[in-house]
Each structure stands twice: as C-alpha cells, then as structure tokens.
C-alpha cells in the first residue's frame, strides 16, 4: 500500500457503455492472513471425480469402489461437486472439473496474506477479500476540484467520480473477516461457474482462529474503491450499485445503505439526477423504462428531504413518496380516470394530515383542565380569533373550523387519531403555548388556510364517491400545493 491517497479499481470485463455515476467509496483496508480463494479438492472429491471421468457413472458402484457410504457419495456429488460447477447434471466432468482434477486448482488451500475491507462510510464489512490492491492513478484535479481518471488511453475517455466522505471509524473484528472470507469464496465460485453455484460447503480445515490480522491493528490503510451507480430498467430497484469485483452486476450490500443515507451526499444525488435522468423524449421509452425513470426521480426527490429518513417519520415519507409518484405519473399520462385523481387527492390529504399529526406530537399541550361540556361555535370562534398567528384565519375558514366538537379536538391533541379538521383545530390551539410553533410563525402566503380547506373538501368528496368530476390540472396543482405546504416546515424538523 503506497500512499494515503490510494484509489483501487478492479478491471471490468468490458468497458461500461451504460449511463452511470462513478463513485470512489472509502474503505479501511486490513491486511489479514486467510485461506486463498481458489476452490480446493479434498481427498473424497478428487477420488469421486477421478472415477466419474473413468466412466464409472453409477454412484452405487463409485461408493463400493471407494468403500464409502452411498449417501455420503451422493451428498458430495449433489451438494459439492455439482454446485461448484465441476460436474454437470449427467455426472460428466465439466472443463472446470477436469482442470481441478488435473491440478489446475490446488487441492488444499494455502494461508496467504490478503486484504479485508471495512466500509469507511457506514461501518460494515464488505463480503470481499483480495490478494492484491489494483491501484488506479488520478491524472489530476480539474478546475471544479474534481478528480479525473483516464480510463482508456486509446479513446481518451475520462471519468470524474464522486468521492464519498469518511464517516465510520476503523474497528478490527475477526468474526466479520471470517464472514467476509466465506461469502467471497461463495461469490467467487459462483462467478467462475457462470452464476450456477447456489451452495458451496465450507472447508472444515479452516476455522476462525486460522484467519488473523497482520500489521498495525490501530492504523489500517485508508483507500477508495471504484464502483458505479446505474439504472437497470428491468430491475425493480430505482438504481443499483455495481460490484467492484465484477462477480455480479450489482450488490445490495452497497446499494441498501447508500439508498437509506443518500440524503447525506447531496453532490452524489445531484450527479445521479443529471447523469441517470437526462432530458429525453419520453415517447421513445417503453413503459418499463419510463416507470424506472419515474422511480429514480422520486427516490432522488426524497433524498433531498433528509428529515423524512428518520424512522419516526416513516409514515410522512411514505405519503410524500406516493404523492410524488402519482403526481408525476398522471402529469405524463394521456388518459386519466377520475379514480386516479381521487387517489392523488387522497394521498395529498394524507400527507397534510401526517404533517399536522407531527406538529401535535412535537408541540403538545395539556388538555386535562379543559371543560367537559361542549363548547359553542362562538366560543371556539373566539378562541381561534385570539390566537397569536402571523396568518390570521379568515371568516370562511373560521366558519368551517368552528364546527369541530370539543371532544374531537381534545382527542386529536391527545391521541392524534381524529379527522383532519379536528387535528387542524388542535394544532392551532397548541400555538397559544409554543412561541416557536410554525403555525404561529409562518406567513399567510405560505400557510394558505383557504387552500388547505379547499384540498380537504376535495379529498372528502373524492373519498365519499360524490360523483363530481375532477379537473386534471386543478388536481395536479393541488398536489404541488400539498408538497410545497409540507416543505415549508422542513426547518422545524
């Protein structure tokens, strides 16, 4: 390991022509002593392969000649030799099996120095080991401060990867290295066999105490590994992350943590938006490609709202995602049914409702001293008029909100499970005791009380199957309003 700026890139089997975003992913590189990754034949495997190549294709005869139990021979064949790609379904040696038997593969693994990789962004250990560190050198930094790498000398192709920041500290964990070695061994064998390996037995000769760290445990080498974010229209995921080792096209152990934490990397999200969602003629896309691009757009929009990635806001994220997805789909869809517009408005209302429920949880008040007798419309109206709001409620909105019952309002504050108007009134009354409440501080031009009421009424009419036809553009405008209305509260999360 040569320098503090170590960039690693395992060579791809072929140059990538797909649109992608190159990423340099930081890792802590740990030198270890571990069994080499070449599959090994044990004595029984070697003897069985030898007899099968000598045209002894009856397993009972093979068991008799080797003086082994028939079930043991059948197990070795079906669970080890065939899954490893050394025997086909007709008990014929494959080219790989012949090579192993002829000594092309070592019969017993050797302990050799290798490198294990701990993710320096999220902290987990990658299921990969390597005997070498294939370094790629940067040609420099451009005027925008981006690293540049010359990938093809003939064509002069240059790529400028996004460099993820180091966030996770290094920590030595021998048990995790053992898991990484085992999974790497399986993935490597599967790649060698064309992806056909589903099961690979462990080498019982090598256990965890024969894998050990070497070098300074306090100071592993920091390096950056090259991988790519790309879109596969045939995959249900909106985007994928390539396997740096090229064993498989994509790996979830990189995609899943990045998907959950994408909001932490705005530069990467913006590059993904530009490179993976180019301005294109949507008419030239098939349905699968168009839906894949839609999912990517929604994913990137959600990543720009980091407050929604907290577990306690999962319901808000779900509703926001549904609004964005339905809005964008209907915006480009030629024919729209009223049911689809109803569904969009329902989700818009659910998004606003979940936002108000968050306010009630964030800024609660004690209702134990509230009267137990029903208040009149006039009493509630006076309470609402006296609230210290930057955006006073106009008469039309007051006329509607004054119809809320005291019990429903109290339960809305305590349990947050009442209809939207009761939640709304409850949140407004909470502003009396919280100076920093957003409904108290925000101006009328952004809160837009009358439009909130209009959306609520449209949602209720749709959910009650009123038979009233909905206007497409007006419904889409309402969806834009619901998204904007929620986003004004982001600074308060």
């Amino acid at each position: 390991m040569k320098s503090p700026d170590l960039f690693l890139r395992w060579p791809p089997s072929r140059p990538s022509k797909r649109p992608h975003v190159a990423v340099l992913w930081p890792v802590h590189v740990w030198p270890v002593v571990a069994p080499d990754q070449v599959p090994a034949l044990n004595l029984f495997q070697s003897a069985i392969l030898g007899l099968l190549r000598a045209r002894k294709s009856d397993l009972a005869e093979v068991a008799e000649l080797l003086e082994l139990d028939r079930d043991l021979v059948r197990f070795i064949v079906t669970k080890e030799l065939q899954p490893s790609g050394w025997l086909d379904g007709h008990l014929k040696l494959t080219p790989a099996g012949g090579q192993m038997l002829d000594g092309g593969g070592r019969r017993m693994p050797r302990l050799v120095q290798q490198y294990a990789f701990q993710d320096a962004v999220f902290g987990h250990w990658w299921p990969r080991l390597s005997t070498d560190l294939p370094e790629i050198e940067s040609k420099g930094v451009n005027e925008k401060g981006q690293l540049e790498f010359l990938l093809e000398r003939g064509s002069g192709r240059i790529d400028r990867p996004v460099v993820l920041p180091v966030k996770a500290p290094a920590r030595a964990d021998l048990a995790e290295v053992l898991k990484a070695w085992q999974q790497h061994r399986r993935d490597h064998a599967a790649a060698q066999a064309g992806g056909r390996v589903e099961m690979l037995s462990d080498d019982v000769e090598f256990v965890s105490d024969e894998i050990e760290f070497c070098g300074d445990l306090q100071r592993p080498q920091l390096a950056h590994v090259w991988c790519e974010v790309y879109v596969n229209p045939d995959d249900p995921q909106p985007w994928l992350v390539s396997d740096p080792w090229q064993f498989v096209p994509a790996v979830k152990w990189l995609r899943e943590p990045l998907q959950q934490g994408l909001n932490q990397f705005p530069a990467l999200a913006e590059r993904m938006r530009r490179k993976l969602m180019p301005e294109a003629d949507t008419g030239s896309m098939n349905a699968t490609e168009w839906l894949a691009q839609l999912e990517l757009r929604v994913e990137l929009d959600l990543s720009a709202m980091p407050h929604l990635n907290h577990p306690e806001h999962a319901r808000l994220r779900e509703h926001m995602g549904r609004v964005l997805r339905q809005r964008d789909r209907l915006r480009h869809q030629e024919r729209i049914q009223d049911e689809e517009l109803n569904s969009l408005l329902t989700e818009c209302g659910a998004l606003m409702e979940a936002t108000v429920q968050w306010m009630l949880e964030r800024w609660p008040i004690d209702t134990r001293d509230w009267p137990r007798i029903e208040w009149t419309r006039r009493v509630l109206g006076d309470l609402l008029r006296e609230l210290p709001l930057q955006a006073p409620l106009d008469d039309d909105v007051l006329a509607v909100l004054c119809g809320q019952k005291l019990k429903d309002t109290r339960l809305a504050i305590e349990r947050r499970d009442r209809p939207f108007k009761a939640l709304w009134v409850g949140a407004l009354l909470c502003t009396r005791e919280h100076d920093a409440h957003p409904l108290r501080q925000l101006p009328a031009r952004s809160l837009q009380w009358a439009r909130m009421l209009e959306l609520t009424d449209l949602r209720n009419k749709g959910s009650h199957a009123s038979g009233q036809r909905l206007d497409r553009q007006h419904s889409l405008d309402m969806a834009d309003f619901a998204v904007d209305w929620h986003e004004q509260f982001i600074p308060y999360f």
Side-chain angles (χ1 to χ4, degrees):
M1 290 176 283
K2 302 175 182 177
S3 70
D5 295 317
L6 186 65
F7 306 115
L8 307 177
R9 185 172 186 259
W10 278 260
S13 56
R14 62 179 64 89
S16 175
K17 302 296 184 183
R18 66 195 176 206
H20 68 272
V21 175
V23 176
L24 283 174
W25 200 303
V27 292
H28 300 295
V29 181
W30 297 85
V32 298
V33 173
D36 59 7
Q37 301 297 336
V38 178
L41 289 178
N42 60 37
L43 181 63
F44 292 157
Q45 293 171 336
S46 179
I48 291 171
L49 284 177
L51 288 175
L52 290 175
R53 185 161 68 176
R55 303 186 184 282
K56 302 294 185 182
S57 58
D58 181 73
L59 293 186
E61 183 183 4
V62 170
E64 183 177 350
L65 290 170
L66 295 176
E67 297 183 357
L68 295 175
D69 182 81
R70 292 183 181 184
D71 289 337
L72 175 59
V73 171
R74 187 177 298 107
F75 178 88
I76 293 173
V77 168
T78 60
K79 300 299 185 182
E80 297 181 358
L81 299 179
Q82 287 179 330
S84 297
W86 299 329
L87 281 178
D88 64 18
H90 302 290
L91 301 183
K92 303 293 185 183
L93 266 70
T94 64
Q99 184 181 15
M100 288 295 296
L101 191 59
D102 292 334
R106 287 186 294 275
R107 297 175 183 276
M108 292 299 294
R110 296 181 299 116
L111 288 173
V112 298
Q113 178 171 314
Q114 301 179 54
Y115 301 99
F117 303 88
Q118 181 200 350
D119 194 309
V121 181
F122 300 104
H124 62 278
W125 288 77
W126 289 5
R128 295 289 184 266
L129 268 73
S130 179
T131 56
D132 65 341
L133 298 175
E135 187 172 357
I136 180 174
E137 293 186 5
S138 167
K139 69 183 293 288
V141 179
N142 65 13
E143 65 279 1
K144 296 181 180 179
Q146 300 170 322
L147 286 169
E148 293 188 333
F149 293 83
L150 178 62
L151 301 184
E152 294 178 4
R153 294 191 179 277
S155 65
R157 183 166 72 93
I158 292 175
D159 212 337
R160 302 169 182 85
V162 176
V163 183
L164 297 185
V166 175
K167 290 179 173 286
R171 53 175 181 80
D173 191 327
L174 203 56
E176 290 297 326
V177 175
L178 175 62
K179 292 179 185 177
W181 172 79
Q182 290 171 334
Q183 188 59 52
H184 179 100
R185 181 171 173 268
R186 287 172 169 79
D187 292 348
H188 180 266
Q192 293 292 102
R196 296 190 300 274
V197 174
E198 297 177 358
M199 183 182 216
L200 189 66
S201 63
D202 290 329
D203 285 314
V204 296
E205 298 91 343
F206 292 93
V207 291
S208 59
D209 59 1
E210 292 184 87
I211 296 178
E212 59 184 31
F213 290 104
C214 55
D216 188 351
L217 291 184
Q218 304 301 318
R219 299 183 63 184
Q221 172 74 51
L222 179 66
H224 288 78
V225 173
W226 188 290
C227 59
E228 296 178 356
V229 179
Y230 68 98
V231 173
N232 179 358
D234 297 325
D235 195 279
Q237 296 297 331
W239 47 269
L240 304 170
V241 181
S242 67
D243 179 2
W245 277 256
Q246 310 290 320
F247 289 170
V248 290
V251 287
K252 67 179 182 180
W253 42 268
L254 289 181
R255 173 184 53 79
E256 288 180 346
L258 185 59
Q259 208 164 20
Q260 294 175 9
L262 186 59
N263 64 86
Q264 303 174 46
F265 315 110
L268 175 59
E270 178 57 29
R271 186 85 65 89
M272 289 169 62
R273 189 185 303 275
R274 287 191 289 106
K275 300 264 303 224
L276 303 183
M277 293 177 53
E279 293 297 328
D281 178 12
T282 56
S284 65
M285 300 181 186
N286 60 39
T288 301
E289 292 171 337
W290 187 86
L291 288 173
Q293 191 169 90
L294 171 63
E295 287 299 322
L296 174 60
R297 182 184 299 111
V298 170
E299 189 76 23
L300 293 176
D301 286 343
L302 290 174
S303 74
M305 305 176 188
H307 65 292
L308 297 183
N309 288 304
H310 295 284
E312 63 268 25
H313 300 147
R315 184 164 170 261
L316 272 170
R317 179 184 174 88
E318 179 183 345
H319 289 305
M320 177 63 80
R322 288 178 179 174
V323 171
L324 295 175
R325 192 173 291 109
Q326 292 187 35
R327 180 196 65 181
D328 291 355
R329 178 173 58 80
L330 296 179
R331 185 170 283 159
H332 294 91
Q333 192 170 306
E334 289 186 10
R335 296 184 178 181
I336 298 178
Q337 302 294 324
D338 260 16
E339 290 79 4
E340 295 174 297
L341 296 176
N342 282 333
S343 177
L344 173 62
L345 292 172
T346 297
E347 285 300 333
C348 291
L351 173 62
M352 295 179 65
E353 183 175 293
T355 304
V356 174
Q357 288 170 326
W358 158 74
M359 293 181 197
L360 288 167
E361 184 175 11
R362 175 70 176 79
W363 293 280
I365 61 172
D366 190 352
T367 62
R368 287 176 297 180
D369 61 346
W370 281 26
R372 297 296 166 178
I373 58 173
E374 187 60 63
W375 54 26
T376 65
R377 291 178 60 89
R378 181 175 179 178
V379 168
L380 180 54
D382 289 342
L383 287 173
L384 294 175
R385 286 188 186 90
E386 294 168 359
L387 293 175
L389 307 177
Q390 287 287 332
L393 300 166
D394 58 46
D395 291 341
D396 291 338
V397 174
L398 281 169
V400 174
L401 297 184
C402 287
Q404 298 305 302
K405 297 183 179 299
L406 184 147
K407 180 180 179 181
D408 286 339
T409 305
R410 186 179 73 249
L411 291 177
I413 295 173
E414 294 173 356
R415 302 179 185 176
R416 302 181 295 281
D417 62 354
R418 299 292 99 177
F420 180 67
K421 291 176 184 175
L423 295 169
W424 185 0
V425 171
L428 286 168
L429 293 177
C430 290
T431 62
R432 294 185 302 174
E433 299 183 18
H434 296 283
D435 294 343
H437 201 293
L439 296 185
R440 178 169 176 165
Q441 294 186 344
L442 291 172
R445 66 176 181 276
S446 60
L447 289 174
Q448 299 189 60
W449 305 120
R451 207 165 186 197
M452 284 178 63
L453 185 59
E454 181 186 3
L455 176 54
T456 304
D457 289 341
L458 283 172
R459 175 200 188 191
N460 291 338
K461 289 175 182 176
S463 63
H464 293 121
S466 65
Q468 177 182 346
R469 291 192 63 82
L470 296 168
D471 178 75
R472 168 179 176 156
Q473 189 56 52
H474 187 54
S475 299
L476 292 173
D477 289 344
M478 280 296 176
D480 291 339
F481 165 70
V483 172
D484 293 341
W485 189 83
H486 170 86
E487 288 182 336
Q488 69 182 317
F489 301 110
I490 290 178
Y492 292 89
F493 275 84

